[in-house]
Amino acid sequence: MKNVLVVDDSPMIRRIAKKILEELNFKTAEAEDGQKALVAVSASMPDAILLDWNMPVMDGLEFLVNLRQMPNGATPKVLFCTTESDVKHITRAMQAGADEYIMKPFNKQIVKSKFEEVGLC
């Protein structure tokens, strides 16, 4: 079973994502901001990270840049999951090392499709 870290400051989004991912046979862990996510990946690097952009303490982009500089930080597939639809945001995320992009709101079919695209389903 593959591990996914869900990083979002909204408890509701984390709960929805966790339910969808567990239905797709993933084991999940959660973090409410980028700083807590860095602590989590330092302890155990997941197979994938579902990452929000706008969060307090440390946003998703800053987390991603830090992640990719860590030992084994290139390993997880990172899927940005956000309301940011501007092409400039998407481009910045992909240049920083994101593997895919999911727009909120999302559902099981969208998550499954994006995870398939990056080779996780």
Side-chain angles (χ1 to χ4, degrees):
M1 186 176 284
K2 294 188 178 185
N3 296 304
V4 180
L5 177 62
V6 179
V7 185
D8 199 296
D9 58 324
S10 166
M12 184 174 71
I13 295 294
R14 290 196 312 269
R15 190 169 37 254
I16 292 167
K18 180 178 178 173
K19 181 181 183 300
I20 289 170
L21 290 164
E22 288 176 350
E23 288 174 3
L24 295 172
N25 295 316
F26 289 98
K27 183 178 175 187
T28 62
E30 301 176 29
E32 62 192 48
D33 61 54
Q35 188 171 0
K36 289 181 179 166
L38 280 178
V39 171
V41 299
S42 294
S44 178
M45 193 64 72
D47 298 297
I49 300 169
L50 191 60
L51 181 62
D52 185 25
W53 187 293
N54 296 310
M55 297 178 288
V57 184
M58 179 186 292
D59 69 22
L61 190 62
E62 186 179 351
F63 164 80
L64 180 57
V65 169
N66 281 285
L67 170 73
R68 294 305 193 206
Q69 294 173 356
M70 295 173 70
N72 298 320
T75 305
K77 299 292 184 184
V78 176
L79 294 92
F80 257 106
C81 181
T82 185
T83 57
E84 297 289 348
S85 60
D86 185 359
V87 174
K88 290 178 185 177
H89 279 91
I90 296 169
T91 302
R92 284 177 58 205
M94 301 308 266
Q95 288 173 342
D99 296 285
E100 194 49 79
Y101 208 87
I102 298 175
M103 294 300 301
K104 291 179 186 173
F106 55 86
N107 60 31
K108 185 177 178 180
Q109 288 302 101
I110 293 169
V111 172
K112 184 177 186 217
S113 172
K114 294 294 186 173
F115 272 61
E116 285 172 347
E117 286 181 31
V118 297
L120 289 168
C121 277

